[in-house]
Amino acid sequence: MRSLISIKDLSREEVEALILEALKRKTLPPSPSFSGKVLASLFYENSTRTRESHERAASRLGMDGIGFSGTEGTSVKKGEPLADTLRMYEGYGADVVVLRHPLEGAARYAADILRIPVINAGDGANAHPTQTLLDLMTIKEKVGSIDNLRIALVGDLKYGRTVHSLVAGLSLFSNVQLWLVAPDAMQMPSHIVHDFEQATSSTVMRTANLQEDVDIFYMTRIQRERFPKGPDGEYEFQKLSRLYHVNAALLKDKKVGIMHPLPRYKHRLEIALDVDALPNAWYIGQARNGLFMREALLSLVLSGTQPEKEAHKTEEAWHPLPIKNGKKMGEHMVYRLDNGTLIDHIDAGKGSSVLAVLGMGDVPFIYARNIRSQRSGKKDVVGFTDRELKPDELNKIALVTSSATVNIIRDRSVYKKGKVVLPSVIDNIVFCQNPRCITYKEHAEHAPQKFHVMSHEPLVLRCHYCEVPIKREEIVLKEN
Ligand code: NCD
């Protein structure tokens, strides 16, 4: 099988099969069916449960382990890029990598550059899919079904990667009602909520108050390590970490199950110790389920053959349009262009952006702003002599303006004409603006820029790595 980077990589059927397999393994003695295989467990961030359960699961499967727990004592401290460290572990015989890293998209990047499968054990605030698998396993075990569930996610919904993945995981199931319990400053990123609402055709409830009439409270720790450094961040943390607590008195006579990815924060317990002895306390068993789920996952990942990496397909950067008579009708200036390119039907006001992204420092041959257009009311037109555009330049125009048509003029005639169209994947021309993304320049990981086109009108792109979406007006293009 392939890597597990996001819970969205799995279908409902695959999640259910993993849950059944993990529940089965819970009742069986370990069987060392992968003896001789090697797990590289690379933890750039603190961990107890996720690391130990993967390593213990590997050893129950008969595997050997290599790797590190924290970067102290490794060459990461000498400034080694992530890619080099990963390739080295692959070279030393790892059959699978489990990676935890503070940058969002680190695991996707690892999967893109390695030939062996990668399991995402948490990439910054982005995702934690194996946690979701064990969370769903626990719900299935306790409730019997994951459909028709009422669940409140409580606490740090902004930075908590466990709840980000859980919302995506729950969207695979039917009739799940979600309450997002957090103050505005800690609410869940809107694109995650949007994806859930789209997938389930339901509306998520956001509230700052603990919603009690539900089947499950999913409590979370305030992710102090992801707050801005300095007194402001510290103040916010202190304020927020006082907000949500459950204790035995609150739960009296209530059936609600209490889940938590753990650890809880000992200085301001989100779950009081007096809950531990109640039947509502699911979190200890939940953490233990991680062992069997990771055993099921490792065995699935190691049993399959890794699919061939898809060869990169070059997509056409324009759709050809018919040429009427070889002459560009309309504005007289066009007739003056002997050889070159004329970009017509640019959204009015976007002509200067088109020139900027093409690196046209000099005055172009033609630059008409806000002129009459039969098609769209007003338009800009840009033309230049002795230059034809390359595919990535056509892509850039399509990112700036949706309706542009490009005419290649040779010997005063329109030789080729087309409407610019965006490919489904945009490589290396748009910068991700999420400062926590693996591709962000300051992190110097040299990961390439890559975006998926999610929708054309309105234009929405999504970073291949950190998964943060951007709209047309937020796009920052690489200059020529
Ligand atoms: C979580 C994590 O690391 O995101 N822990 C875990 O893996 N069980 C939650 C947390 O640290 O608060």
Side-chain angles (χ1 to χ4, degrees):
M1 120 130 181
R2 52 198 181 224
S3 299
L4 178 61
I5 306 303
S6 159
I7 201 74
K8 289 180 259 172
D9 297 343
L10 299 177
S11 64
R12 174 180 174 142
E13 289 68 33
E14 287 170 315
V15 169
E16 286 179 326
L18 273 164
I19 292 174
L20 286 183
E21 180 64 21
L23 288 169
K24 191 174 93 194
R25 284 174 184 271
K26 198 170 172 178
T27 64
L28 297 174
S31 93
S33 34
F34 291 97
S35 140
K37 295 279 184 193
V38 177
L39 169 79
S41 129
L42 311 182
F43 278 69
Y44 286 71
E45 278 192 334
N46 296 341
S47 173
T48 304
R49 274 150 288 268
T50 306
R51 186 179 54 77
E52 288 292 3
S53 60
H54 275 106
E55 292 178 4
R56 184 76 199 108
S59 104
R60 282 166 60 90
L61 293 168
M63 298 172 66
D64 296 327
I66 50 176
F68 51 83
S69 165
T71 56
E72 206 52 57
T74 74
S75 287
V76 177
K77 287 284 174 200
K78 300 181 188 172
E80 178 167 62
L82 173 63
D84 288 1
T85 310
L86 289 166
R87 287 196 197 102
M88 199 210 62
Y89 276 94
E90 184 177 51
Y92 287 168
D95 294 290
V96 51
V97 165
V98 175
L99 177 69
R100 172 169 286 191
H101 197 278
L103 294 178
E104 298 175 16
R108 181 73 69 193
Y109 178 49
D112 282 356
I113 58 181
L114 295 179
R115 286 178 302 257
I116 52 174
V118 175
I119 294 175
N120 183 6
D123 59 328
N126 180 36
H128 195 348
T130 68
Q131 179 70 43
T132 297
L133 289 174
L134 75 92
D135 293 344
L136 297 176
M137 171 187 177
T138 306
I139 296 171
K140 174 83 182 163
E141 193 180 37
K142 293 284 187 184
V143 186
S145 158
I146 306 167
D147 296 317
N148 308 314
L149 199 71
R150 294 170 309 153
I151 177 164
L153 311 182
V154 185
D156 188 346
L157 309 186
K158 180 177 181 183
Y159 296 120
R161 55 192 170 199
T162 61
V163 278
H164 297 167
S165 288
L166 184 55
V167 168
L170 288 169
S171 75
L172 299 172
F173 294 86
S174 308
N175 193 26
V176 174
Q177 278 177 272
L178 263 189
W179 280 264
L180 301 180
V181 184
D184 286 348
M186 287 290 100
Q187 264 297 352
M188 184 153 299
S190 53
H191 68 273
I192 299 175
V193 179
H194 175 261
D195 287 353
F196 179 89
E197 290 183 331
Q198 279 238 309
T200 60
S201 310
S202 68
T203 310
V204 162
M205 273 71 68
R206 290 185 179 85
T207 167
N209 304 316
L210 206 57
Q211 160 69 32
E212 289 174 29
D213 186 22
V214 290
D215 305 308
I216 297 170
F217 284 165
Y218 191 99
M219 306 299 292
T220 60
R221 178 180 67 88
I222 307 293
Q223 307 283 296
R224 182 182 203 158
E225 64 276 32
R226 313 229 184 269
F227 276 57
K229 303 276 173 286
D232 288 354
E234 185 55 29
Y235 173 77
E236 279 295 298
F237 169 73
Q238 291 300 339
K239 202 170 72 182
L240 294 165
S241 61
R242 284 171 210 279
L243 284 177
Y244 302 108
H245 299 275
V246 293
N247 55 29
L250 181 91
L251 296 176
K252 197 168 170 339
D253 302 327
K254 290 205 171 73
K255 276 234 177 81
V256 56
I258 310 297
M259 297 180 74
H260 194 308
L262 301 179
R264 58 183 151 181
Y265 182 53
K266 67 181 180 180
H267 300 289
R268 273 201 251 299
L269 293 163
E270 320 65 92
I271 305 174
L273 299 180
D274 62 7
V275 178
D276 293 2
L278 302 180
N280 313 64
W282 294 0
Y283 37 91
I284 305 292
Q286 177 189 354
R288 182 159 180 269
N289 278 343
L291 174 61
F292 308 106
M293 179 48 83
R294 276 135 187 167
E295 200 183 307
L297 182 63
L298 281 173
S299 110
L300 184 67
V301 162
L302 289 167
S303 307
T305 44
Q306 189 68 349
E308 286 291 310
K309 291 232 187 295
E310 259 181 53
H312 189 77
K313 289 192 285 271
T314 326
E315 292 175 60
E316 282 298 329
W318 73 354
H319 280 323
L321 292 172
I323 302 165
K324 283 198 194 105
N325 56 8
K327 294 287 168 235
K328 187 80 186 78
M329 303 304 282
E331 298 71 30
H332 296 291
M333 60 204 165
V334 172
Y335 308 147
R336 306 278 171 231
L337 199 58
D338 292 346
N339 287 291
T341 302
L342 183 98
I343 310 171
D344 199 356
H345 299 290
I346 299 170
D347 292 327
K350 294 286 182 168
S352 57
S353 308
V354 168
L355 291 171
V357 299
L358 296 177
M360 298 288 294
D362 299 341
V363 180
F365 187 74
I366 294 163
Y367 180 17
R369 281 178 285 186
N370 218 21
I371 60 174
R372 221 169 346 105
S373 156
Q374 281 168 353
R375 216 198 291 165
S376 55
K378 294 282 181 185
K379 66 179 180 182
D380 290 1
V381 180
V382 158
F384 26 84
T385 50
D386 300 329
R387 180 169 163 193
E388 293 179 10
L389 298 177
K390 296 194 279 293
D392 71 320
E393 292 177 313
L394 292 168
N395 289 169
K396 283 183 178 180
I397 295 169
L399 288 166
V400 170
T401 170
S402 56
S403 54
T405 52
V406 175
N407 301 269
I408 298 175
I409 316 276
R410 288 191 189 161
D411 278 337
R412 296 179 166 204
S413 287
V414 181
Y415 160 76
K416 261 170 115 180
K417 178 175 176 178
K419 182 173 177 343
V420 287
V421 284
L422 278 176
S424 51
V425 176
I426 297 175
D427 277 318
N428 273 322
I429 54 176
V430 180
F431 283 112
C432 183
Q433 295 300 300
N434 171 9
R436 302 188 304 267
C437 180
I438 183 93
T439 65
Y440 206 69
K441 204 159 180 244
E442 275 67 10
H443 303 305
E445 291 295 355
H446 310 284
Q449 302 283 339
K450 183 168 172 175
F451 281 84
H452 298 273
V453 177
M454 306 308 290
S455 113
H456 287 267
E457 272 318 317
L459 183 66
V460 180
L461 311 180
R462 185 171 290 215
C463 176
H464 172 68
Y465 298 102
C466 70
E467 301 182 37
V468 173
I470 48 171
K471 301 194 191 101
R472 193 188 290 279
E473 54 277 18
E474 296 162 333
I475 291 174
V476 176
L477 286 165
K478 221 178 223 177
E479 278 165 25
N480 263 25

